[in-house]
Amino acid sequence: MTKPLPPRAQARPVTLETHGIQRQDDYAWLRADNWQDVMRDGRDVLDDDIEAYLDAENAYQDAMMAPTKELQDTLFAEMRGRIKEDDSSVPSPDGPYAYGIKYVTGGQHPKFLRTKRDGSGEEILLDGDKEAEGRAYFKFGGAGHSDDHKLLAWGYDDKGSEFYSLQIRDLETCLDSETRIEDTAGGGVFSADGKYLFYVRLDDNHRPSKLFRHEIGTDPSADVLVFEEEDAGFFMGVGRTQSGDTILIDIHDHETSEVWTIPAHSPLDPPHLIAPRDTGVEYSVEDNGDSYYIRTNLGDAEDFKIVTAPKATPGREFWTDLVPHVAGRLILSHGLFKTFMVRLERENGLPRIVIRRLADNIEHEISFDEEAYSLGLSGGYEFDTTDIRFTYSSMTTPSRVFDYNVETRERVLRKEQEVPSGHDPASYVTRRLQAPAGDGETVPISLLYRKDTVLDGSAPCLLYGYGSYGMSMPASFNTNALSLVDRGFVYAIAHIRGGKEKGFRWYKDGRRENKKNTFTDFIAASKHLSSERFTSHDRIVAQGGSAGGMLMGAVANMAPDAFKGIIAEVPFVDVLATMLDDTLPLTPPEWPEWGNPITDKAAYDYIASYSPYDNVAAKDYPAILAVGGLTDPRVTYWEPAKWVAKLRATKTGDSLLMLKTNMEAGHGGASGRFDRLKEVALVQAFALMVTGKA
């Protein structure tokens, strides 16, 4: 059968100049002039030429992947078979009730519920499947109840654009108010008396810049602007402390933060500043009684410390160290309860939970035995409690939910993830390797494979990486990965610089002027896996999404021979152009991460030296599958579209190159839990196909 010809985007050159440097962009026309409207309304307002090109690429991708259709169906069935369809969370107690979510067999979306505290009398407060009816896309934002349990504020996005509509539901009637608040960040917090709701609204450029106070029962047009952030480089969020006493207005970018407070019991009070922003200083706030407990990197506390301050005088000059800084011990988060504090920290690449009794400052930690694992604290509603909840898993061990009593130190298993189709942890091996990098560092790699996999270099490998924003990739249980592992794959996660797996310095060494360490670390991980015979260079498929998609584009340019295939999901590949466009939603807040090429020529030169789109060259590339979302506000659809267009016009050889744009979704892909699995099945089928395992 004759293979279909790949589409070719028309080259429409434009010349751009910055710092006296000219560059030519043949595919700038793929960026819709009305991109704000496209985010809101999708393909209905998309330019005909752009729509035609994206549709042609989708048709080509469909044709080239058609031989794997049966395989995709099999993979989908396997992955769905590992999901307990009628699953539910462990309800979290709050006064007379306990709140949770559940799914029903065949349902795509969660149902929010509550029971009486003893578990009886279940009420469905919000039915996701019902709310999603008739919508091509539907995703919940936040959902939070008032202190008196009478109201629920909940948000939803029905475009994938992350402009959330916010509704207020009467929990006695389960009816929403007639008024709906549009263009919000997705959730809100009630005042203590339940008379007011505080929420963040997005502007036309998708920036969370204004905090409003809504009086329950009134028209949202009368909502009061409480706080406005005028610097486009900062995000805004609103929350409430565990005690419930304080409403927090959190202003931050990727390296600097500022917090303002409003008493939850005096919601009409003006915001009060904790400490003014100071570039490079981060802090987050909880409270207990008359004191704030603040996690911060102030001074030389690179891996963070915890300080206290009086609520009456919360400025930095009154901060007193409580948990001192220890180099290499990264404090990830902290929570305050009436009699104790809990913190999640990481040392030597592994997380742990530490409990501190406030009465005498005695500490103890919760211990674990596996070589590599993932750990997380689950937020609860209550402040006056001696119980915390945490989740634990490893690459071989399904997720487990524990309740832990901080006084008796008793650990109670409340839930273990069920795999209906069956899972035997003893059939699998999880390992932690250390790959040598070129500058003397070592890069951790988490591995999962079957015990019967032959490790002589013949096994294919899926190597996943991210390496940005200080986000650490957990070595957690992933049922979807089992479909590859059961077919002989080694599944690997490279914990490269740009994350915080080895402390804050691991992040610093992988951002801005050190960004290329992220890419060279990933290549080093690939080479180490080959040299240790876990796989071979022509058997490795690399995968990354968003900023991890930028990683994919960079390593494809730098070391194409190190990979058989590249999976780039919602890839941030047009880095230079995006960082030069300060009208885009995330550009100003991203400058601390990448540098500002508008004002800084050195930053311009450095970004230009690795930006995947700008460094596409006439060379043989691995097989590439790029995936985008039309209404994506984080990585706009035209980034993967331009990248693929330029690759197709420039690269040599006949390796497969495909672009799939979800025309009805944004950054996270399809919204339903089963629809999302179809996208995972496509990606896995690509990996199997290019390694000859399909």
Side-chain angles (χ1 to χ4, degrees):
M1 180 179 290
T2 303
K3 289 185 178 180
L5 292 174
R8 288 195 175 257
Q10 185 181 22
R12 303 178 187 176
V14 296
T15 300
L16 306 164
E17 183 172 325
T18 309
H19 301 298
I21 303 169
Q22 290 188 342
R23 70 186 198 281
Q24 179 176 302
D25 191 342
D26 290 346
Y27 305 103
W29 64 272
L30 288 169
R31 175 192 185 279
D33 292 335
N34 64 333
W35 58 266
Q36 293 101 328
D37 297 329
V38 173
M39 283 184 190
R40 292 176 181 273
D41 300 316
R43 69 187 302 158
D44 290 345
V45 296
L46 187 62
D47 176 87
D48 290 344
D49 286 352
I50 299 173
E51 183 178 24
Y53 171 66
L54 297 179
D55 285 342
E57 287 285 3
N58 280 343
Y60 176 71
Q61 180 273 137
D62 285 340
M64 297 307 293
M65 293 298 293
T68 69
K69 181 62 172 66
E70 185 175 339
L71 173 61
Q72 291 181 52
D73 291 343
T74 300
L75 291 167
F76 172 77
E78 287 177 7
M79 289 185 281
R80 183 165 180 169
R82 297 189 192 102
I83 294 176
K84 179 175 168 55
E85 293 203 15
D86 57 345
D87 203 4
S88 61
S89 67
V90 181
S92 294
D94 186 16
Y97 296 103
Y99 291 81
I101 63 170
K102 75 173 184 178
Y103 291 87
V104 297
T105 300
Q108 294 252 38
H109 301 278
K111 301 178 190 297
F112 291 81
L113 61 87
R114 73 179 175 192
T115 66
K116 293 180 181 178
R117 193 178 180 97
D118 63 6
S120 64
E122 179 181 283
E123 303 174 69
I124 300 299
L125 307 178
L126 192 57
D127 186 333
D129 291 316
K130 181 179 178 181
E131 299 296 337
E133 286 178 3
R135 306 178 197 263
Y137 181 95
F138 180 83
K139 184 178 181 181
F140 279 121
H145 60 271
S146 57
D147 291 13
D148 60 8
H149 307 279
K150 292 182 179 180
L151 299 174
L152 182 78
W154 66 281
Y156 69 90
D157 169 20
D158 60 3
K159 293 291 190 302
S161 62
E162 300 178 39
F163 281 103
Y164 287 89
S165 299
L166 192 58
Q167 304 236 193
I168 299 172
R169 176 161 295 195
D170 184 325
L171 293 183
E172 292 183 0
T173 63
C174 270
L175 296 176
D176 293 320
S177 64
E178 295 182 1
T179 56
R180 186 171 60 222
I181 306 171
E182 302 290 2
D183 300 341
T184 78
V189 295
F190 286 100
S191 58
D193 59 12
K195 294 181 179 179
Y196 299 94
L197 181 75
F198 292 83
Y199 66 91
V200 174
R201 182 172 289 166
L202 309 181
D203 64 18
D204 289 340
N205 284 12
H206 209 278
R207 292 174 182 149
S209 58
K210 295 180 180 180
L211 178 74
F212 284 87
R213 184 181 66 237
H214 172 73
E215 185 175 357
I216 306 302
T218 66
D219 192 313
S221 64
D223 289 355
V224 175
L225 176 63
V226 175
F227 191 94
E228 181 172 7
E229 174 53 49
E230 297 182 355
D231 189 333
F234 282 79
F235 300 95
M236 178 190 293
V238 62
R240 201 167 157 191
T241 57
Q242 183 74 30
S243 70
D245 289 341
T246 306
I247 294 168
L248 302 173
I249 308 168
D250 176 44
I251 312 294
H252 66 277
D253 62 13
H254 294 297
E255 65 175 8
T256 304
S257 57
E258 180 177 274
V259 177
W260 296 70
T261 66
I262 298 172
H265 295 273
S266 300
L268 303 185
D269 285 5
H272 182 71
L273 177 64
I274 295 283
R277 69 192 68 173
D278 184 4
T279 300
V281 176
E282 298 179 66
Y283 68 96
S284 57
V285 178
E286 281 291 337
D287 65 359
N288 185 314
D290 294 330
S291 297
Y292 289 123
Y293 288 71
I294 301 169
R295 170 186 167 270
T296 182
N297 64 345
L298 180 67
D300 296 325
E302 180 177 72
D303 288 317
F304 288 82
K305 62 182 179 180
I306 296 175
V307 302
T308 60
K311 282 188 174 180
T313 55
R316 288 193 184 96
E317 63 271 28
F318 299 102
W319 291 7
T320 302
D321 285 6
L322 179 67
V323 180
H325 172 254
V326 175
R329 180 197 68 183
L330 178 63
I331 300 177
L332 298 165
S333 63
H334 73 303
L336 261 294
F337 297 83
K338 187 173 182 179
T339 61
F340 67 95
M341 179 175 70
V342 59
R343 67 181 188 267
L344 180 64
E345 58 188 39
R346 182 184 294 112
E347 191 168 19
N348 296 321
L350 291 176
R352 64 177 173 232
I353 294 171
V354 180
I355 312 297
R356 185 185 188 99
R357 192 161 57 199
L358 298 179
D360 53 17
N361 289 327
I362 292 176
E363 292 190 349
H364 71 275
E365 67 179 68
I366 308 175
S367 60
F368 306 92
D369 298 325
E370 290 189 88
E371 183 177 342
Y373 57 85
S374 174
L375 189 63
L377 285 167
S378 300
Y381 297 108
E382 297 189 316
F383 179 67
D384 188 1
T385 180
T386 55
D387 291 330
I388 62 169
R389 182 167 293 167
F390 68 86
T391 58
Y392 173 91
S393 75
S394 74
M395 296 180 82
T396 58
T397 306
S399 177
R400 295 171 178 171
V401 179
F402 292 90
D403 280 352
Y404 181 82
N405 187 288
V406 300
E407 293 294 339
T408 66
R409 305 190 184 183
E410 181 184 10
R411 188 185 309 185
V412 178
L413 178 64
R414 295 298 307 276
K415 179 183 177 181
E416 184 167 4
Q417 181 182 356
E418 295 182 39
V419 183
S421 60
H423 173 67
D424 178 13
S427 297
Y428 302 89
V429 177
T430 183
R431 293 278 305 278
R432 177 66 68 96
L433 307 180
Q434 298 291 335
D439 60 357
E441 286 284 2
T442 56
V443 181
I445 309 172
S446 297
L447 293 184
L448 175 70
Y449 53 89
R450 287 189 63 90
K451 272 187 176 177
D452 55 8
T453 299
V454 178
L455 300 177
D456 61 357
S458 64
C461 173
L462 186 88
L463 177 60
Y464 179 84
Y466 187 75
S468 289
Y469 305 116
M471 294 179 62
S472 300
M473 297 297 103
S476 56
F477 189 64
N478 179 353
T479 58
N480 294 340
L482 296 177
S483 285
L484 291 177
V485 172
D486 286 345
R487 286 172 171 80
F489 266 71
V490 173
Y491 180 72
I493 302 171
H495 302 285
I496 51 185
R497 276 175 278 190
K500 290 179 182 172
E501 282 89 341
K502 295 176 74 171
F504 195 84
R505 72 168 185 89
W506 203 241
Y507 172 37
K508 285 202 309 183
D509 287 349
R511 68 175 182 179
R512 285 204 291 268
E513 66 276 5
N514 298 316
K515 190 64 210 170
K516 290 182 184 178
N517 286 334
T518 301
F519 316 140
T520 55
D521 280 0
F522 192 80
I523 295 167
S526 170
K527 292 181 177 179
H528 187 66
L529 289 169
S530 294
S531 67
E532 294 297 307
R533 307 295 286 164
F534 286 97
T535 185
S536 298
H537 71 93
D538 58 353
R539 311 286 288 154
I540 298 175
V541 178
Q543 182 185 20
S546 196
M550 176 201 61
L551 167 68
M552 296 298 102
V555 300
N557 287 332
M558 295 169 65
D561 293 341
F563 307 97
K564 182 67 174 179
I566 299 282
I567 300 165
E569 298 176 284
V570 289
F572 177 37
V573 283
D574 197 11
V575 183
L576 184 60
T578 294
M579 288 297 100
L580 286 168
D581 187 349
D582 59 6
T583 69
L584 293 175
L586 295 185
T587 293
E590 297 289 288
W591 287 329
E593 182 76 14
W594 316 106
N596 183 349
I598 298 175
T599 61
D600 184 351
K601 183 179 180 299
Y604 178 98
D605 291 340
Y606 190 70
I607 294 171
S609 72
Y610 70 76
S611 174
Y613 178 69
D614 296 278
N615 287 277
V616 168
K619 64 178 74 172
D620 288 355
Y621 280 83
I624 294 175
L625 170 62
V627 180
L630 183 63
T631 56
D632 189 345
R634 298 171 185 257
V635 177
T636 50
Y637 74 85
W638 60 82
E639 295 213 20
K642 288 175 60 178
W643 182 51
V644 168
K646 188 173 182 179
L647 277 166
R648 188 161 281 136
T650 308
K651 77 181 187 73
T652 58
D654 58 358
S655 60
L656 183 60
L657 172 62
M658 297 182 295
L659 170 67
K660 176 180 175 58
T661 304
N662 190 325
M663 303 297 281
E664 295 177 332
H667 198 65
S671 56
R673 59 176 177 159
F674 303 133
D675 289 344
R676 175 61 185 149
L677 290 181
K678 293 177 182 177
E679 296 181 343
V680 178
L682 171 69
V683 163
Q684 291 195 357
F686 171 81
L688 289 160
M689 181 177 71
V690 300
T691 55
K693 301 287 284 187

